[in-house]
Amino acid sequence: MEVLRPQLIRIDGRNYRKNPIQEQTYQREEDEEDFYQGSMECTDEPCDAYEVEQTPQGFRSTVRAPSLLYKHIVGKRGDTRKKIEMETKTSISIPKPGQDGEIVITGQHRNGVISARTRIDVLLDTFRRKQPFTHFLSFFLNEVEVQEGFLRFQEEVLAKCSMDHGVDSSIFQNPKKLHLTIGMLVLLSEEEIQQTCEMLQQCKEEFINDISGGKPLEVEMAGIEYMNDDPGMVDVLYAKVHMKDGSNRLQELVDRVLERFQASGLIVKEWNSVKLHATVMNTLFRKDPNAEGRYNLYTPDGKYIFKERESFDGRNILKLFENFYFGSLKLNSFISLRGSQ
């Protein structure tokens, strides 16, 4: 990471710089104090976006967070919380493990409460990013015509390209799980799952029905591409999905859904547009048939892990099946919230 171009974390409309840390060596919760010391620079600037209540005793602000993340605010032996309290001259009340509730910050000075709130938000955002994905938003693409087209594609690829490095039946998608992913989510509580469902309903009422015209979108699944830049070392190969009438209505619809969820913080903003695709081959399936989307390099405890993937040579597949036609189908306006396993 370049010193002059550090990673930025966006919280409530404000950007905060995250100092570089050696994530590869992050092995134990005991390291959280060091992480805190290295990532809190430039978080003291007052932020007017936070709601701070004035009380007879001073000032107060609350943060809702899943109980799974409380331990990262507390730290080993409570050291992280104590350090924030000492440096911001505040008091931080955190619910007991396993109990949902609000983190309450109180203090005599408004700027101190805001500073503590900002530090807590940075910690919550950082450790949320390290959680494995739990759900994803998608359209099902598993109608009979498309499933049959996919099985024909798999049969022909194995018949013509099975001698190519890394190509075997284990890396093909399950035809019953074919889908178009809009975004991956980390939902750590029933409240967040309910919030996601409500937001999907709002999207449907506010713009999905208007874009679709209240009718299923007729789409085609045709042609293949690969994710990385070396066709001889492919990890993900996907089928392209587009509107039969040539319009961009499907792209507009999924992009607006993505934008809405990014604005809410339920999806981390990593891109501005959804790539319309359906994964048909993925080397993650070689060891885990249930693998979906981008692989997280952290366990639920925030420990760094490394998973080696065996890529496959996709050059012949791309040459022989560049314009392969999987089939057509109708997408209704129902976007599915699915568990990642």
Side-chain angles (χ1 to χ4, degrees):
M1 179 186 298
E2 294 186 33
V3 175
L4 297 179
R5 295 180 179 178
Q7 179 181 348
L8 298 179
I9 299 176
R10 188 173 181 83
I11 300 174
D12 288 334
R14 301 290 290 266
N15 290 323
Y16 298 93
R17 186 175 73 227
K18 175 184 174 186
N19 285 351
I21 58 174
Q22 297 297 319
E23 293 181 331
Q24 290 82 351
T25 60
Y26 185 85
Q27 298 294 333
R28 305 179 306 277
E29 285 188 26
E30 287 86 342
D31 295 330
E32 287 181 14
E33 182 178 358
D34 294 334
F35 165 80
Y36 170 81
Q37 293 173 345
S39 64
M40 290 297 104
E41 188 174 328
C42 297
T43 61
D44 289 323
E45 181 183 357
C47 178
D48 294 332
Y50 293 138
E51 183 175 336
V52 179
E53 174 189 358
Q54 187 167 6
T55 69
Q57 292 76 34
F59 295 88
R60 180 179 184 272
S61 183
T62 59
V63 186
R64 287 203 70 84
S67 60
L68 183 65
L69 299 181
Y70 291 162
K71 62 183 178 182
H72 301 300
I73 308 303
V74 175
K76 183 186 176 184
R77 298 186 301 271
D79 289 346
T80 300
R81 173 169 58 182
K82 292 175 184 176
K83 187 173 181 64
I84 298 175
E85 289 177 328
M86 180 183 66
E87 293 181 351
T88 62
K89 296 181 174 58
T90 59
S91 176
I92 301 171
S93 174
I94 301 175
K96 294 180 180 180
Q99 295 183 356
D100 291 326
E102 293 182 331
I103 299 172
V104 180
I105 308 164
T106 56
Q108 295 294 316
H109 304 286
R110 185 175 187 276
N111 283 357
V113 171
I114 291 175
S115 179
R117 168 69 187 271
T118 302
R119 295 169 187 230
I120 289 173
D121 277 352
V122 170
L123 287 170
L124 290 172
D125 180 85
T126 299
F127 284 100
R128 176 182 286 275
R129 288 170 183 258
K130 293 185 178 184
Q131 303 301 312
F133 292 120
T134 61
H135 297 75
F136 57 98
L137 298 176
S138 66
F139 279 110
F140 286 108
L141 301 174
N142 55 1
E143 289 191 9
V144 174
E145 179 182 341
V146 171
Q147 286 190 34
E148 292 176 348
F150 170 82
L151 290 172
R152 189 174 67 255
F153 169 78
Q154 179 177 345
E155 181 181 358
E156 293 183 18
V157 167
L158 292 175
K160 299 177 181 180
C161 306
S162 60
M163 298 302 293
D164 295 342
H165 175 75
V167 177
D168 60 56
S169 60
S170 69
I171 62 176
F172 285 84
Q173 175 67 281
N174 181 335
K176 295 181 180 179
K177 293 185 177 182
L178 288 169
H179 61 274
L180 188 160
T181 298
I182 299 173
M184 307 292 292
L185 303 94
V186 176
L187 304 179
L188 302 178
S189 68
E190 289 299 323
E191 181 180 344
E192 291 185 346
I193 294 174
Q194 182 61 33
Q195 182 184 355
T196 299
C197 293
E198 292 173 356
M199 190 165 295
L200 278 175
Q201 183 61 34
Q202 291 173 4
C203 290
K204 183 175 181 179
E205 294 172 356
E206 293 178 17
F207 59 82
I208 290 179
N209 287 338
D210 288 339
I211 295 174
S212 67
K215 300 178 181 179
L217 297 176
E218 297 187 20
V219 303
E220 290 181 322
M221 190 167 148
I224 58 172
E225 287 187 357
Y226 60 104
M227 286 292 189
N228 58 307
D229 57 1
D230 183 356
M233 296 286 289
V234 176
D235 283 317
V236 176
L237 187 128
Y238 62 89
K240 293 180 282 187
V241 181
H242 59 268
M243 291 287 299
K244 289 185 71 172
D245 63 9
S247 71
N248 68 342
R249 286 188 295 154
L250 178 59
Q251 187 70 64
E252 179 186 357
L253 188 155
V254 295
D255 283 350
R256 289 189 63 178
V257 172
L258 177 68
E259 181 183 11
R260 177 66 62 87
F261 275 83
Q262 287 176 336
S264 73
L266 289 171
I267 292 180
V268 176
K269 186 169 185 178
E270 296 179 317
W271 50 81
N272 294 321
S273 182
V274 176
K275 180 184 287 290
L276 296 176
H277 74 284
T279 297
V280 293
M281 300 173 70
N282 188 334
T283 57
L284 288 179
F285 297 153
R286 203 185 300 279
K287 294 183 179 180
D288 181 5
N290 293 316
E292 297 286 357
R294 193 189 66 196
Y295 195 78
N296 293 65
L297 295 179
Y298 298 90
T299 68
D301 291 330
K303 297 178 181 178
Y304 181 86
I305 58 176
F306 176 73
K307 289 288 185 180
E308 186 175 353
R309 299 170 65 149
E310 180 189 352
S311 301
F312 67 92
D313 186 345
R315 288 173 292 185
N316 284 332
I317 297 174
L318 290 161
K319 180 179 179 180
L320 295 172
F321 301 94
E322 179 181 7
N323 298 311
F324 187 89
Y325 185 79
F326 293 86
S328 63
L329 69 158
K330 294 182 179 180
L331 297 180
N332 59 36
S333 59
F334 178 71
I335 297 175
S336 171
L337 174 65
R338 304 172 64 189
S340 61
Q341 296 298 329

